[in-house]
Amino acid sequence: MKKISLLGATGSIGIQTLDVIREHPEEFSLAALSAGRNIPLCRKIISEFHPEFVSVKNKEDAEALRAEFPGTVFSYGPDGLQEAAVYYKTDILVNAVLGSVGLSPTLEAIKLGRPVAIANKETLVTAGHLVMEAAKQHGTQIIPVDSEHSAIFQALQGEREKNIERLVVTASGGSFRDRCRNELANVTVKEALNHPNWSMGAKITIDSATMMNKGLEVIEAHWLFSMPYEKISVLLHKESIIHSMVEFHDSSIIAQLGTPDMRVPIQYALSYPDRMPLPSGKRLRLEEIGKLHFAEMDFDRFRCLRFAYEAGKTGGTMPSVMNAANEVAVAAFLEGRIKFLEIEDLIEKALIAHKSSANPDLETIQAADSETRKFVKSLV
Ligand SMILES: NC(=O)C1=CN([C@@H]2O[C@H](COP(=O)(O)OP(=O)(O)OC[C@H]3O[C@@H](n4cnc5c(N)ncnc54)[C@H](OP(=O)(O)O)[C@@H]3O)[C@@H](O)[C@H]2O)C=CC1
Ligand SMILES: CC(=O)[C@@H](O)[C@H](O)COP(=O)(O)O
Ligand SMILES: [Mn+2]
């Protein structure tokens, strides 16, 4: 029985992680969780899974829940998130919280040598050097949950790093993949949230439409697989059937395929190195799909992807600045305060205004993050 600590239990990845736990009651149980503001859902999860420890965003919510569930320990805020991540009875942390708030709890779990199944891509983008260094130092396993990185991780099983020619990260193209740039000026939030293949949280769905999601994933791949940016390519693949690939020196390409169902990479991260059935999952039938399509990435159409390669190559605090600017800009777009194309304009302004500090520690990263948030908010 693997006891799980789940950060972001009320989100898209969190809910699908609970689906996996529900399908395998003999193998997995939920020992600790964190939620944000969705208290009705949090309440339902507690009633079904009986976790021992729960953290929520606000103190008042924690107090109300404590009165309702006297057998559970409650906490709140950033400290609570951290306590949930390192809860002493858990065997693995699933980090499915949204945004750079996921960084400190991940680092704390790594220091305990606790395996981390990582969905929260902002952690690796902002502090990949600290995360991977700490994981090496403490012998902690970092297992990717993001579908592309899970695909690469699976394709690399039994392979040697020295034989890799390049990683190929596939991209669906997002909600506006069939529109040119001048058709994007007045797109609505509702249109942007209509992803062609995946059902995901709002923020990542917008990131997918701007191609920032792929930018974050390129940086994530750089750290997870210690691969130089020159050896990471992005390929448009509109069906999201091939979740990513690895090309080797001998020209062989190994790909991982499947239906667009995040429960598969989540379950693989939990059962790794084993595999388990997923009874309610739909099997891929290529004969029903017929054709798969591929196209080269256009960096002028998708400017955010260019920003991400540049920020990643610059390194230091630049990826944190890009990420923080993106988080603020996407939130402003979702609230209807800016237009879609202003997301990339704001990110560009933040990147231009910032002078990167090399090899930053956690405090420097957090300072760059909060200064950027202030700067971008002042422009919105
Ligand atoms: N969705 C997907 O298919 C994929 C997501 N990812 C990554 O996984 C992460 C989560 O994505 P997703 O599940 O879509 O996001 P959602 O927005 O659906 O869920 C986010 C979760 O984080 C919680 N949360 C948000 N802000 C805070 C905060 N400040 N403090 C504490 N908890 C907070 C939310 O709580 P509440 O709702 O209760 O307020 C919710 O539980 C992201 O980094 C994303 O890029 C990666 C691959 C695929
Ligand atoms: C499910 C998942 O991993 C997402 O990151 C997904 O890949 C988004 O798809 P695109 O960014 O390719 O549109
Ligand atoms: Mn992904």
Side-chain angles (χ1 to χ4, degrees):
M1 172 70 80
K2 241 184 214 176
K3 291 187 174 173
I4 296 166
S5 167
L6 173 59
L7 303 189
T10 45
S12 160
I13 292 289
I15 292 167
Q16 294 176 87
T17 305
L18 296 172
D19 287 344
V20 170
I21 297 174
R22 193 181 288 113
E23 292 218 22
H24 302 286
E26 306 289 310
E27 280 83 12
F28 306 129
S29 72
L30 185 68
L33 72 85
S34 88
R37 291 201 174 101
N38 190 345
I39 302 306
L41 181 54
C42 180
R43 191 176 278 127
K44 268 194 181 167
I45 296 170
I46 299 171
S47 302
E48 180 181 353
F49 292 91
H50 310 290
E52 295 175 21
F53 183 93
V54 173
S55 176
V56 290
K57 194 159 183 197
N58 298 320
K59 187 177 176 189
E60 310 77 64
D61 291 330
E63 280 166 1
L65 288 167
R66 193 173 291 136
E68 275 178 65
F69 299 96
T72 305
V73 178
F74 287 91
S75 189
Y76 60 89
D79 289 349
L81 204 58
Q82 205 144 303
E83 290 164 46
V86 298
Y87 186 62
Y88 72 106
K89 284 195 194 167
T90 56
D91 303 307
I92 184 165
L93 166 65
V94 178
N95 186 345
V97 76
L98 179 69
S100 56
V101 70
L103 171 58
S104 298
T106 308
L107 283 172
E108 292 308 311
I110 290 173
K111 284 185 205 158
L112 294 181
R114 179 112 9 114
V116 181
I118 187 119
N120 172 274
K121 52 189 86 185
E122 295 86 353
T123 288
L124 283 164
V125 168
T126 56
H129 62 298
L130 298 181
V131 171
M132 298 318 285
E133 183 53 42
K136 199 169 146 196
Q137 197 184 331
H138 297 277
T140 309
Q141 217 168 27
I142 308 284
I143 311 160
V145 168
D146 206 342
S147 62
E148 294 76 4
H149 307 78
S150 176
I152 292 168
F153 185 66
Q154 292 179 53
L156 285 175
Q157 293 302 308
E159 298 293 343
R160 293 184 172 186
E161 207 179 297
K162 70 177 175 74
N163 295 332
I164 302 172
E165 180 78 19
R166 64 177 179 136
L167 307 180
V168 182
V169 178
T170 50
S172 76
S175 323
F176 303 129
R177 63 188 181 191
D178 298 322
R179 301 194 198 192
C180 57
R181 276 189 73 78
N182 53 24
E183 290 173 308
L184 298 180
N186 292 313
V187 292
T188 65
V189 171
K190 194 171 168 215
E191 288 172 307
L193 286 175
N194 187 23
H195 194 282
N197 304 331
W198 296 95
S199 165
M200 309 184 286
K203 193 261 180 183
I204 185 177
T205 306
I206 304 302
D207 285 348
S208 169
T210 61
M211 204 52 76
M212 179 54 90
N213 184 45
K214 225 37 64 179
L216 299 176
E217 289 178 352
V218 166
I219 300 177
E220 207 183 343
H222 165 77
W223 291 114
L224 278 171
F225 307 109
S226 57
M227 198 53 49
Y229 286 100
E230 293 70 21
K231 290 185 162 199
I232 306 174
S233 315
V234 175
L235 181 69
L236 277 168
H237 165 50
K238 68 179 186 182
E239 289 85 7
S240 300
I241 293 293
I242 294 185
H243 297 307
S244 279
M245 325 178 216
V246 180
E247 183 176 336
F248 295 90
H249 292 323
D250 66 357
S251 80
S252 291
I253 295 179
I254 299 188
Q256 187 258 341
L257 285 72
T259 55
D261 180 349
M262 275 309 292
R263 293 174 308 163
V264 177
I266 292 169
Q267 181 175 289
Y268 184 69
L270 291 176
S271 64
Y272 174 79
D274 223 334
R275 288 186 188 267
M276 298 161 78
L278 184 61
S280 62
K282 190 170 177 284
R283 282 182 180 266
L284 177 63
R285 300 280 171 228
L286 283 172
E287 59 275 31
E288 286 168 16
I289 306 276
K291 274 187 185 164
L292 295 178
H293 295 81
F294 305 96
E296 208 175 321
M297 181 54 69
D298 178 347
F299 285 82
D300 294 323
R301 163 68 180 77
F302 295 110
R303 291 172 71 219
C304 284
L305 186 58
R306 187 192 299 284
F307 296 159
Y309 268 101
E310 284 169 4
K313 284 179 188 168
T314 304
T317 42
M318 211 49 114
S320 301
V321 167
M322 181 189 77
N323 177 70
N326 182 54
E327 284 191 29
V328 175
V330 171
F333 173 68
L334 285 169
E335 287 160 13
R337 291 190 290 129
I338 62 168
K339 293 194 165 193
F340 183 72
L341 287 176
E342 286 178 86
I343 298 174
E344 49 190 59
D345 293 342
L346 287 168
I347 298 167
E348 188 176 34
K349 283 184 180 141
L351 291 171
I352 290 171
H354 183 68
K355 194 169 172 307
S356 181
S357 308
N359 203 16
D361 58 15
L362 186 57
E363 289 69 39
T364 311
I365 289 168
Q366 286 170 336
D369 179 286
S370 64
E371 275 162 31
T372 304
R373 283 171 199 271
K374 259 189 236 153
F375 175 72
V376 178
K377 278 178 188 165
S378 75
L379 299 178
V380 168

